[in-house]
Amino acid sequence: MNGMTDSVMCMHYAWHFPDLCKKLYSKPKRIEGAVKKLHKAVIACSEELLVAYHQNWTQFSQGINYLNKLYMYLNTQHIKKQKFNEADLQYGRNESGDTMMEVGELGLEIWKKNMIEPLQSKLVHLLLEGIQLDRRGVCPNQSVFHGVIQSFVQVEEYKKNDNLELYRQIFETPFLRATGEYYKLEASRLLQENDCSQYMEKVLQKLDEEDFRSRKYLHPSSYGRVTQECEQRMVADHLQFLHGECKRMVQEENRKDLQHLYLLLKSIPSASEALILELQQHITKIGLEAINVLRGDNVSIVPQAFVESLLAVHDKFSNLIKTVFSGDQQFVGALDKACSAVINHKGNPKLTCRSPELLAKYCDSLLKKNAKTCTENEVENKLTQSITIFKYIDDKDVFQKFYSRMLAKRLIYNQSMSMDAEEAMINKLKQACGYEFTSKLHRMFTDVSVSTDLNGRFMQYLRDNTIDLGINFSISVLQAGAWPLGQTAISTFAIPQELEKSVQQFESFYSSRFSGRKLTWLHHLCNAELKLCYLKKSYIVTMSTYQMAILLLYEKADVLTYAEILENTKLSDEQLSKQIQSLLESKLLSAVDSQEVEQTHVSVDEDRKLYLQAAIVRIMKARKVLRHNTLIQEVINQAKNRFVPNVSMIKKCIEALIDKQYIERTPNYPDEYSYVA
């Protein structure tokens, strides 16, 4: 009842009688004598020292907590007013050096000085001994051990700063030292008795056990430090041994061992780098092996095999990294580097990488009509997977060139399996590389849509003006800047009479609606359907416009010479030879006299040589002095509208002009020519 009486007196008189507060504050200080008596009682229980300490601490901490509540008014109204705040302490306003403690704080401080400090060496020794026994399978009283260790924390919890200082100083530091020594010896024993796989498995088990042990006995702030100490002794101190086994584990793709090694290395700074590098090199090796076996004559299969082989490698190791290495981004980075190295690999440094071309052909094979039987969902999935390969390609501009040309052919010749699939693929490329990368592809799509509308309006124009073309006619108007339409196949061409009306009417229709626009007819990209009626059964054959023009000549003659066909079609010799050869192979024409063909070719060659020599003389007369490569390029530029000159023919013409003394080599510069006036 004394405590209660004191409390009532405090509440009633403290404001008016400060001296009474001092008298009341002196009474809790009597706790010191009681603690000293408890200390003697604990020492007497030498064999059960920890149990005695724990029991007395439990009772004392509970009692001091009650007492602190009884003295709450004294704590708040008198003691706290006497305390200096942090600013006072910092700037030296505590001249006496004494501060008043709350009753509960005072009791804890008395316990620390009169119980913990005199007993700390014995307490800690017993604690370390008991935990060592726990490691050997003999479990001490968990509540007692945990309670004693926690008392080192609780006795200073009231402090605003460094309230774990006592705990770390008297217990954690020696505990970590003892733990390190124990696991240093344990690691040596395990290495002697086990191979690497067994060692890793047992180390992980030890780490789990020690972590569980920490949670049974220690303050949470120690968990990480204990694990770090164990890892240092059993992992970091033996990195050379573990790294030595990396290569074997990776090459064998031993998932269990790799997972154990990863778990051991990941917490040690830079320790995983050797494993990451081994994995990267292994993936690169497997990837190169997968594409190096793809050496066949059937080039149509190579793109599919190339892409699907790479995807199989990527999927396999993506799964391994996800399941074995928990999707760790460092290992994902190793996969990315390996895939990039494989996909951009050049068998010969002097050659270009074929990956962009092969990937574009793979996409083309999926998006074309008459592709191998795949559902739209299957095509969609395969196109999505192809983006995985695309992202690794360095020369994305090369892929863009191949893809745009193949897309152009699919759109022009109506070969696309699905316009939705085409658009979906372009959107995938846009997500991977941005709008600028696919802007021309989008414009190509727009042109196809606009052309469809334009054909409808042209048909309406013909109906409104009662014009009959005599044939079915449709056209695609394409923006020159958006479509990758090669100019090399363009040739002079006399439009067949049967097509003249259609071409003229469309030009009139188009110019009446779009002023200032110029139409350039790309006949080499046009197709025609021709009905063949000379056989027992009629056939409709799809062919190029050039081939159609040649066959239409046979409406008026059964036999034509090569020269006559050349004259009537106005095709270049190169283009005509190509088209006739195609018609001969398909047996739509029978052989033209070979001697005449040969004579015609010889005549054309002679005409070309004279043309080239005249061009060289004109250029040199204007420029006076030119390097060899510059002269070759200027000659090609002048001749390209007539024919594509062969470089070797240009060189022969240069040599002929040197012999004729029209030009000469510049002294001291063998690759430079001068005009001879």
Side-chain angles (χ1 to χ4, degrees), residues 308-568:
E308 291 181 356
S309 295
L310 288 175
L311 285 172
V313 172
H314 184 273
D315 290 348
K316 172 185 175 181
F317 287 102
S318 289
N319 176 266
L320 184 142
I321 288 168
K322 182 179 179 181
T323 56
V324 174
F325 303 121
S326 303
D328 190 308
Q329 285 304 304
Q330 287 184 293
F331 289 85
V332 173
L335 173 64
D336 290 341
K337 288 177 184 176
C339 289
S340 180
V342 172
I343 291 169
N344 297 292
H345 176 73
K346 299 177 183 177
N348 185 339
K350 295 181 180 179
L351 300 177
T352 56
C353 176
R354 289 200 65 204
S355 297
E357 174 192 355
L358 293 172
L359 181 62
K361 286 180 177 178
Y362 174 74
C363 296
D364 185 54
S365 69
L366 291 173
L367 291 164
K368 264 186 180 177
K369 283 180 181 176
N370 303 321
K372 290 183 179 179
T373 54
C374 284
T375 65
E376 285 195 23
N377 285 338
E378 288 173 336
V379 169
E380 170 72 13
N381 290 335
K382 289 185 176 183
L383 291 173
T384 300
Q385 290 175 334
S386 72
I387 296 297
T388 300
I389 306 299
F390 170 74
K391 288 178 179 178
Y392 290 116
I393 289 177
D394 287 341
D395 300 327
K396 290 183 173 61
D397 56 338
V398 176
F399 170 86
Q400 184 191 44
K401 288 289 184 186
F402 278 106
Y403 187 89
S404 60
R405 287 176 183 174
M406 293 170 189
L407 172 63
K409 288 181 181 178
R410 293 196 298 273
L411 295 179
I412 290 172
Y413 299 129
N414 192 28
Q415 292 177 339
S416 288
M417 178 195 72
S418 162
M419 295 303 283
D420 289 341
E422 293 280 10
E423 191 168 12
M425 182 59 183
I426 292 174
N427 286 331
K428 288 180 175 66
L429 293 171
K430 181 170 70 174
Q431 289 173 2
C433 273
Y435 177 77
E436 186 179 352
F437 185 83
T438 57
S439 59
K440 288 186 178 181
L441 305 181
H442 281 294
R443 284 163 62 190
M444 289 161 68
F445 258 86
T446 303
D447 283 355
V448 171
S449 176
V450 170
S451 292
T452 302
D453 178 62
L454 196 61
N455 276 294
R457 290 160 62 188
F458 178 55
M459 292 299 109
Q460 186 61 47
Y461 165 81
L462 295 176
R463 287 193 293 271
D464 292 346
N465 292 279
T466 61
I467 298 171
D468 182 13
L469 298 179
I471 60 171
N472 291 328
F473 178 84
S474 65
I475 190 167
S476 296
V477 180
L478 314 175
Q479 299 178 65
W483 291 74
L485 304 175
Q487 303 295 312
T488 56
I490 292 180
S491 166
T492 52
F493 179 57
I495 299 172
Q497 186 178 354
E498 292 83 351
L499 293 182
E500 285 182 355
K501 185 176 182 181
S502 300
V503 170
Q504 290 170 358
Q505 288 298 331
F506 185 82
E507 286 180 340
S508 298
F509 160 76
Y510 192 81
S511 60
S512 67
R513 282 160 176 75
F514 304 101
S515 61
R517 294 190 186 179
K518 180 184 176 182
L519 287 175
T520 301
W521 294 86
L522 303 179
H523 298 293
H524 66 291
L525 296 176
C526 298
N527 277 345
E529 288 185 351
L530 204 60
K531 187 174 183 180
L532 305 180
C533 303
Y534 64 90
L535 300 170
K536 292 181 180 179
K537 182 181 178 181
S538 61
Y539 294 91
I540 295 177
V541 182
T542 301
M543 60 185 68
S544 73
T545 302
Y546 291 160
Q547 292 170 334
M548 177 194 68
I550 294 169
L551 290 181
L552 286 175
L553 296 175
Y554 288 89
E555 287 279 272
K556 299 175 182 177
D558 292 333
V559 178
L560 292 167
T561 66
Y562 184 89
E564 288 171 334
I565 298 173
L566 190 67
E567 175 61 28
N568 280 281

Side-chain angles (χ1 to χ4, degrees), residues 577-612:
S577 298
K578 179 180 173 182
Q579 300 302 329
I580 286 180
Q581 185 63 36
S582 176
L583 291 170
L584 288 171
E585 289 174 357
S586 61
K587 298 183 180 180
L588 290 173
L589 288 181
S590 56
V592 180
D593 183 69
S594 59
Q595 184 179 357
E596 181 189 358
V597 172
E598 185 178 350
Q599 288 175 350
T600 305
H601 278 299
V602 170
S603 174
V604 168
D605 281 347
E606 289 301 318
D607 289 344
R608 287 182 174 182
K609 288 176 183 176
L610 292 173
Y611 177 87
L612 291 174

